């Protein structure tokens, strides 16, 4: 078959809703696009564990501590599942980790901001995991089998993350005026990074057209942002919280939200390593990687000796 015939057959399979599996023929750009997206997603899960992980010793009650430990452990597990899914496309885990630690790979903008108070931890669990669920429940319908299957488990666990975040917000909002003020302050700081979480506006999205055509992405960045707003704005307002955007409005006629444009220059700076916490986040990962080196070497030696025996 010629390349054109192979591509036509590949696209017909995707149009029929079939999953593409690791040994199947795929265009090089499908493979490299998936490696970029899945490895970024994996890095986001691993780095995303850090802002909340740092709060484990300070969780306000034993129940919150146990819940947070479980959540952080889940996020690291998601990273492992996603690295595994990316490996099926011909990149090694070592290569991906190297790209992360040398700053070649990027990860989600939101994890480059500090979690200053316990209300930040609650808000991350509620709204960032909430935004992630909006995105990930579409990714599980995607065309690449190993990624879609990993997303099933991940979405299931993210549902628990969202509930624990929402529960922690409920307790704070039913608490003292200073607890409520802490949540409002967290919302003021996190709102704009969250508005950028689903990626640039569609007109500025580099990869969307191709990824949508091949059903790696099912919805555009703007569609996901709209869905997030529809789902969460009423809940945020029901708490009596104020969203720090005076222009945010729902239009009945178009069923669309309008809002103040986030600072996309800040977004570009943050994803390229210039956010308030980028250096610290990567520093912690490098330290963890170095301290784990002896374990990897011991395991490699064990496997080599096992093979030789
Ligand atoms: N944080 C960091 N970088 C982001 C981003 C975000 N929130 N949103 C978009 N970008 C980057 C893209 O990676 C791309 O940069 P690159 O070419 O260097 O990789 C650039 O901004 C342009 O974006 P776009 O063309 O729209 O990228 P995309 O089509 O891949 O869509 C996502 C962006 C995040 C919606 C998409 O990659 C996705 O759904 N990823 C999987 C889910 C995920 O990673 N979630 C994060 C944490 S749970």
């Amino acid at each position: 078959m010629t390349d054109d015939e192979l591509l036509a057959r590949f696209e017909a399979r995707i149009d029929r809703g079939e999953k593409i599996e690791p040994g199947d023929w795929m265009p090089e750009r499908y493979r490299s696009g998936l490696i970029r997206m899945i490895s970024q997603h994996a890095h986001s899960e691993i780095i995303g564990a850090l802002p909340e992980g740092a709060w484990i010793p300070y969780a306000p009650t034993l129940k919150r501590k146990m819940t947070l430990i479980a959540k952080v452990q889940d996020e690291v597990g998601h990273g492992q599942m996603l690295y595994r899914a990316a490996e099926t496309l011909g990149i090694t885990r070592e290569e991906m980790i190297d790209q992360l630690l040398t700053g070649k790979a990027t990860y989600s903008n939101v994890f480059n901001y500090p979690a200053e108070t316990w209300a930040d931890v609650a808000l991350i669990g509620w709204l960032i995991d909430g935004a992630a669920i909006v995105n990930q429940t579409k990714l599980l319908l995607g065309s690449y089998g190993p990624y879609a299957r990993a997303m099933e488990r991940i979405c299931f666990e993210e549902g628990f993350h969202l509930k624990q975040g929402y529960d922690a917000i409920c307790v704070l909002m039913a608490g003292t005026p200073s607890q409520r003020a802490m949540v409002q302050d967290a919302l003021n700081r996190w709102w704009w990074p969250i508005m950028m979480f689903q990626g640039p506006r569609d007109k500025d999205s580099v990869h969307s057209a191709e990824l949508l055509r091949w059903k790696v992405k099912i919805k555009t960045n703007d569609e996901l942002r709209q869905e997030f707003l529809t789902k969460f704005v009423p809940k945020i307002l029901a708490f009596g919280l104020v969203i720090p955007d005076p222009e945010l409005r729902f239009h009945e006629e178009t069923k669309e939200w309008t809002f103040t444009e986030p600072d996309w220059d800040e977004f570009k700076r943050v994803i390229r390593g210039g956010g308030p916490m980028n250096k610290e986040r990567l520093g912690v990962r490098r330290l963890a990687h170095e301290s784990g080196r002896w374990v990897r070497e011991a395991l490699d030696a064990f496997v080599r000796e096992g093979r030789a025996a």
Side-chain angles (χ1 to χ4, degrees), residues 174-248:
T176 62
S178 68
Q179 284 175 312
R180 284 195 288 278
M182 234 163 69
V183 177
Q184 181 63 60
D185 173 59
L187 181 65
N188 294 347
R189 285 179 289 105
W190 285 96
W191 180 253
W192 297 107
I194 292 174
M195 282 298 283
M196 301 184 215
F197 177 84
Q198 309 290 1
R201 298 301 295 248
D202 289 351
K203 64 180 175 50
D204 300 317
S205 169
V206 186
H207 304 289
S208 279
E210 202 167 53
L211 295 178
L212 286 162
R213 172 167 146 221
W214 287 333
K215 295 195 184 153
V216 173
K217 279 171 84 163
I218 303 294
K219 293 266 168 129
T220 72
N221 302 356
D222 283 338
E223 285 169 342
L224 294 171
R225 203 171 356 256
Q226 288 287 328
E227 188 177 324
F228 169 79
L229 292 170
T230 300
K231 211 165 162 188
F232 286 95
V233 168
K235 294 191 172 78
I236 297 171
L237 298 179
F239 277 120
L241 290 162
V242 178
I243 296 177
D245 180 1
E247 300 302 322
L248 184 70

Side-chain angles (χ1 to χ4, degrees), residues 36 40-41 107-109 135 197 199 205-207 217 221 271:
R36 178 193 66 84
Q40 275 176 0
H41 193 166
Y107 54 86
S108 187
N109 68 311
N135 171 314
F197 177 84
S205 169
V206 186
H207 304 289
K217 279 171 84 163
N221 302 356
I271 67 176

Side-chain angles (χ1 to χ4, degrees), residues 222-223 225-227 229-230 249-258:
D222 283 338
E223 285 169 342
R225 203 171 356 256
Q226 288 287 328
E227 188 177 324
L229 292 170
T230 300
R249 222 159 264 122
F250 184 68
H251 302 268
E252 267 304 331
E253 334 70 77
T254 55
K255 303 271 176 255
E256 292 233 321
W257 293 87
T258 50

